[in-house]
Amino acid sequence: ASSFGAHISGKRRRVADSLLGVTDARARVSKMRVARKLYYKLRPSAETHVRDAMPGMAQVLDRHLA
């Protein structure tokens, strides 16, 4: 049987989009214009960082779900 970590590592882009979707929604309704502008400027690189961190996050999840 495949681990949960392996499952999410195989879907890096989709998982990253889902995780960042939470902050996307918060940024959309933020009344803090400067913070919202900065978030959208950094969003593309954040997606890359989240995807790159996925294997490590998968290992942590596997360890705690075992």
Side-chain angles (χ1 to χ4, degrees), residues 28-43:
R28 273 193 300 275
V29 299
S30 175
K31 305 244 188 286
M32 298 167 51
R33 216 172 76 189
V34 173
R36 190 173 56 239
K37 185 176 178 178
L38 180 61
Y39 174 77
Y40 286 117
K41 182 178 179 178
L42 296 174
R43 171 59 162 86

Side-chain angles (χ1 to χ4, degrees), residues 5 9-10 12 16 23 26-27 29 31 39-40 42 46 55 57 59-60 62-63 65-66:
S9 278
R12 287 182 189 190
T23 50
R26 291 191 66 152
V29 299
K31 305 244 188 286
Y39 174 77
Y40 286 117
L42 296 174
M57 186 176 81
Q59 287 178 344
V60 170
D62 280 342
R63 201 171 350 173
L65 292 174

